[in-house]
């Protein structure tokens, strides 16, 4: 699993950090900061939940 | 009933929205269930404008509309279904908050405030939240029950913290509450709302001017410092931004604290579970947010092009939509037995903070404050109980944000 984020689309809702703290954080400007591009098994479910709940679909998850 | 509503009803037999919760105060409007089954995309009359709009009660439709950038939040669009009393001839002159704007105007303003609500900043605020909550509960315990939890805890905690965040003198707290009550009351006259806004703007105008000249370690100072980097914004735009934060940052959280306390007290077994195992609290708070959906009718849009909804219904360009987030949060196809408050439910995906590019930027701040408030309240006053019957409490049936005027409690 590989995650990409779109900082132009991001509106800084913090939903990703709420759902997957180990995978996402927020840059000091409030927008998304990706911590882990390829989350391991333990973080995968949370990463998928975060992607599904991003209010502006700024998170993409691809199979590698 | 307002003049607009009477005008609305006279145009036909369409139901007048928003509905209230008088039939069952701890439920979203009960009519939604039948609407979702019979007419999930229903033509209704918006009480605040007297004009027709579509009321959506299915989860999928609300999610689609709020997530669709072609569904506009521009309050100046003639089809926008306002939820406040706004005289139509005044529309071009009102300084609307960025919640009522579209990109790019929305984007530039929102980006001014989101640095203030990062996970890191919220974590830094937590000890202060704890200290504020502890001080309020010390006070409650010193006074002895019965006390009004709204006045003692629900209102002071978020507004005190917000005053501190803004860098305003805490003596202005009462002022914030009066502003919230006037501007969010569905029966407030236009004159009263305009007066309250003008007064709040004058206060914020002075405060921002002060922060521009003598900046401190606070939100308004930092926003003022960002202003020179934004060529499209000026001082007055900061006043409108700050005005939005005042209402969004204190009133809403206060209402969840009072109603949430009531819901926990009405579900003593679940409350006992949370007290035994505090790791259940975050999930319980998500369920509270879903269950209460206090800003159910705040998520409105106007179509800028025709769109098709899940059931094949078409919303035409220029038509207003009430994307009822409470109705979505109670859609049994997403949340089985939605009327049941269940802290073990997975409330993921609820839209109590809206969805799409206007989703509440302060959601994680509210979550942190709620965790501290409920965690502390129920551990420090374990035998807290209502001091009045739940069905006789003064609910805010006519407010934009649902809440309680008073919550008598004792222990």
């Amino acid at each position: 699993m590989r995650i990409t984020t779109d900082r132009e689309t991001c509106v800084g809702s913090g939903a990703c950090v709420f759902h997957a703290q180990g995978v996402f954080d927020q840059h000091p400007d409030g927008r998304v900061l990706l911590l882990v591009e390829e989350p391991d098994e333990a973080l995968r479910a949370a990463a998928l939940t975060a992607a599904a709940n991003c209010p502006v679909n700024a998170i993409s998850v691809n199979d590698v | 009933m307002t003049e607009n509503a009477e005008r609305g009803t006279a145009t036909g037999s369409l139901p007048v929205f928003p509905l209230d919760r008088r039939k069952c105060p701890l439920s979203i409007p009960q009519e939604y269930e039948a609407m979702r089954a019979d007419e999930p995309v229903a033509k209704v009359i918006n009480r605040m404008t007297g004009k027709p709009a579509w009321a959506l009660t299915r989860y999928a439709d609300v999610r689609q509309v709020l997530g669709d950038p072609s569904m506009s939040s521009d309050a100046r669009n003639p089809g926008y279904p306002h939820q406040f009393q706004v005289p139509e001839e005044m529309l071009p002159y009102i300084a609307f908050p960025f919640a009522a704007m579209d990109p790019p105007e929305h984007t530039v303003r929102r980006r001014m405030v989101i640095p203030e609500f990062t996970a890191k900043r919220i974590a830094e605020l937590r000890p202060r939240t704890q200290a504020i909550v502890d001080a309020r509960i010390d006070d409650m315990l010193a006074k002895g029950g019965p006390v009004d939890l709204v006045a003692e805890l629900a209102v002071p905690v978020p507004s005190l913290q917000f005053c501190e965040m803004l860098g305003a003198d805490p003596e202005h707290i009462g002022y914030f509450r009066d502003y919230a009550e006037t501007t969010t009351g569905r029966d407030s006259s236009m004159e009263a709302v305009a007066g309250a806004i003008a007064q709040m703007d004058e206060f914020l105008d002075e405060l921002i001017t002060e922060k521009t000249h003598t900046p401190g370690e606070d939100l308004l100072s930092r926003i003022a410092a960002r202003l020179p980097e934004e060529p499209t914004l000026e001082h007055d735009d900061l006043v409108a931004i700050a005005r939005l934060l005042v209402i969004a940052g204190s009133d809403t959280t206060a209402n969840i604290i009072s109603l949430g306390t009531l819901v926990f007290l009405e579900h003593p077994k679940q409350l006992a579970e949370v007290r035994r195992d505090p790791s259940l609290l975050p999930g319980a708070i998500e369920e509270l947010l879903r269950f209460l959906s206090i800003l159910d009718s705040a998520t409105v849009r106007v179509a800028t092009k025709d769109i098709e909804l899940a059931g094949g219904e078409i919303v035409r360009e220029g038509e207003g939509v009430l994307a009822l987030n409470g109705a979505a949060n109670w859609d049994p196809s997403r949340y089985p037995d939605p009327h049941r408050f269940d802290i073990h439910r997975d409330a993921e995906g609820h839209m109590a903070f809206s969805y799409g590019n206007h989703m509440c930027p302060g959601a994680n701040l509210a979550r942190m404050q709620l965790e501290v408030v409920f965690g502390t309240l129920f551990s420090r006053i374990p035998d807290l109980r209502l001091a009045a019957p739940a069905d006789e409490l003064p609910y805010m049936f006519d407010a934009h944000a649902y809440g309680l005027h008073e919550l008598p409690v004792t222990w």
Side-chain angles (χ1 to χ4, degrees):
Chain A
M1 177 194 278
R2 181 186 288 274
I3 298 175
T4 51
T5 55
D6 180 351
R7 284 182 38 82
E8 270 316 294
T9 307
C10 177
V11 292
S13 72
C16 54
V17 190
F18 173 69
H19 287 291
Q21 208 163 17
V23 185
F24 303 96
D25 198 353
Q26 281 162 290
H27 186 275
D29 72 5
R31 286 183 278 162
V32 62
L33 178 65
L34 183 60
L35 299 176
V36 186
E37 268 181 47
E38 292 184 33
D40 60 22
E41 200 56 43
L43 290 173
R44 262 177 218 180
L48 285 170
T49 305
N53 284 288
C54 172
V56 290
N57 295 313
I59 302 170
S60 308
V61 180
N62 298 300
D63 289 327
V64 281
Chain B
M1 227 187 217
T2 66
E3 190 191 320
N4 280 336
E6 281 154 13
R7 215 185 314 152
T9 350
T11 62
S13 58
L14 295 173
V16 176
F17 266 61
L19 300 174
D20 66 48
R21 308 186 191 204
R22 280 186 171 84
K23 280 183 199 148
C24 181
L26 288 185
S27 163
I28 59 164
Q30 290 193 315
E31 294 85 345
Y32 291 174
E33 194 177 340
M35 286 176 63
R36 198 183 299 107
D38 302 335
E39 205 184 358
V41 183
K43 184 155 271 189
V44 300
I45 294 294
N46 176 19
R47 173 181 159 185
M48 306 313 277
T49 60
K51 293 180 183 174
W54 296 107
L56 310 184
T57 45
R58 277 188 305 227
Y59 183 89
D61 292 338
V62 171
R63 188 109 166 158
Q64 178 189 335
V65 160
L66 296 180
D68 182 345
S70 79
M71 296 300 296
S72 170
S73 292
D74 179 5
R76 295 211 168 92
N77 185 313
Y80 183 84
H82 288 271
Q83 291 303 301
F84 297 99
Q85 303 274 354
V86 183
E88 212 165 311
E89 64 278 10
M90 289 300 292
L91 285 178
Y93 310 106
I94 295 172
F96 284 105
F98 66 84
M101 293 178 188
D102 286 334
E105 290 80 11
H106 165 257
T107 315
V108 67
R109 287 162 178 79
R110 185 169 170 120
R111 283 185 182 174
M112 292 286 277
V113 306
I114 54 174
E116 302 302 324
F117 301 100
T118 61
K120 181 170 178 278
R121 236 183 234 298
I122 291 164
E124 287 166 358
L125 288 167
R126 193 175 186 120
R128 207 34 223 150
T129 314
Q130 185 66 59
I132 292 170
V133 170
D134 277 327
R136 297 310 309 174
I137 293 177
D138 287 346
D139 246 43
M140 281 171 62
L141 290 169
K143 275 186 187 157
V147 299
D148 172 17
L149 188 111
V150 172
E152 298 296 328
L153 188 73
V155 166
V157 169
S159 25
L160 251 173
Q161 182 144 49
F162 209 68
C163 258
E164 289 185 8
M165 287 173 71
L166 285 183
D169 192 325
E171 76 179 43
H172 298 298
I173 284 182
Y175 197 48
F176 284 14
R177 184 66 178 177
D178 291 347
Y179 171 73
E181 285 192 353
T182 307
T183 55
T184 71
R186 285 177 189 150
D187 287 322
S188 298
S189 72
M190 288 187 194
E191 291 74 22
V193 173
I197 291 176
Q199 208 180 12
M200 182 52 75
D201 278 1
E202 197 183 314
F203 167 70
L204 292 170
D205 180 14
E206 277 175 32
L207 189 60
I208 292 169
T209 304
E210 181 195 319
K211 301 292 179 189
T212 307
H213 297 304
T214 45
E217 285 293 311
D218 55 67
L219 185 156
L220 284 183
S221 295
R222 287 188 292 266
I223 289 182
R226 282 176 212 132
L227 184 63
E229 297 156 33
E230 288 301 342
T232 61
L233 297 186
E234 41 192 73
H235 174 85
D236 285 354
D237 296 309
L238 295 193
V239 174
I241 290 171
R243 171 155 39 83
L244 173 61
L245 295 183
V246 165
I247 198 87
S250 44
D251 186 51
T252 50
T253 315
N255 289 338
I256 289 276
I257 293 172
S258 56
L259 285 172
T261 301
L262 172 62
V263 170
F264 276 125
L265 292 178
E266 291 287 282
H267 295 84
K269 279 185 192 154
Q270 298 192 63
L271 174 56
E273 275 188 82
V274 172
R275 292 212 347 255
R276 268 197 308 272
D277 179 2
S279 74
L280 294 172
L281 187 54
I285 288 169
E286 291 311 297
E287 171 65 352
L288 260 188
L289 292 163
R290 178 201 73 82
F291 183 77
L292 291 168
S293 298
I294 61 167
L295 284 159
D296 168 46
S297 62
T299 39
V300 303
R301 298 289 186 269
V302 52
T304 61
K305 62 175 194 186
D306 297 359
I307 66 157
E308 185 176 342
L309 298 172
E313 303 89 346
I314 308 283
V315 174
R316 301 282 173 202
E317 178 184 345
E319 291 179 337
V321 176
L322 313 177
L324 301 163
N325 66 72
N329 291 340
W330 282 53
D331 182 339
S333 72
R334 185 69 172 77
Y335 305 102
D337 298 325
H339 55 279
R340 213 158 40 84
F341 173 72
D342 177 4
I343 59 166
H344 298 290
R345 173 199 301 281
D346 187 355
E348 181 216 312
H350 73 72
M351 293 181 278
F353 291 118
S354 188
Y355 185 70
N357 62 350
H358 289 279
M359 185 175 166
C360 176
N364 289 342
L365 171 64
R367 285 170 166 135
M368 179 278 282
Q369 290 175 325
L370 294 172
E371 266 183 56
V372 173
V373 166
F374 292 127
T376 310
L377 175 66
F378 295 123
S379 71
R380 289 196 59 192
I381 315 184
D383 48 354
L384 189 77
R385 62 179 195 275
L386 292 183
D391 52 2
E392 289 170 20
L393 296 171
Y395 296 93
M396 298 178 177
F397 290 121
D398 291 311
H400 183 64
Y402 190 55
L404 278 163
H405 291 291
E406 272 175 47
L407 181 63
V409 293
T410 193
W411 51 89

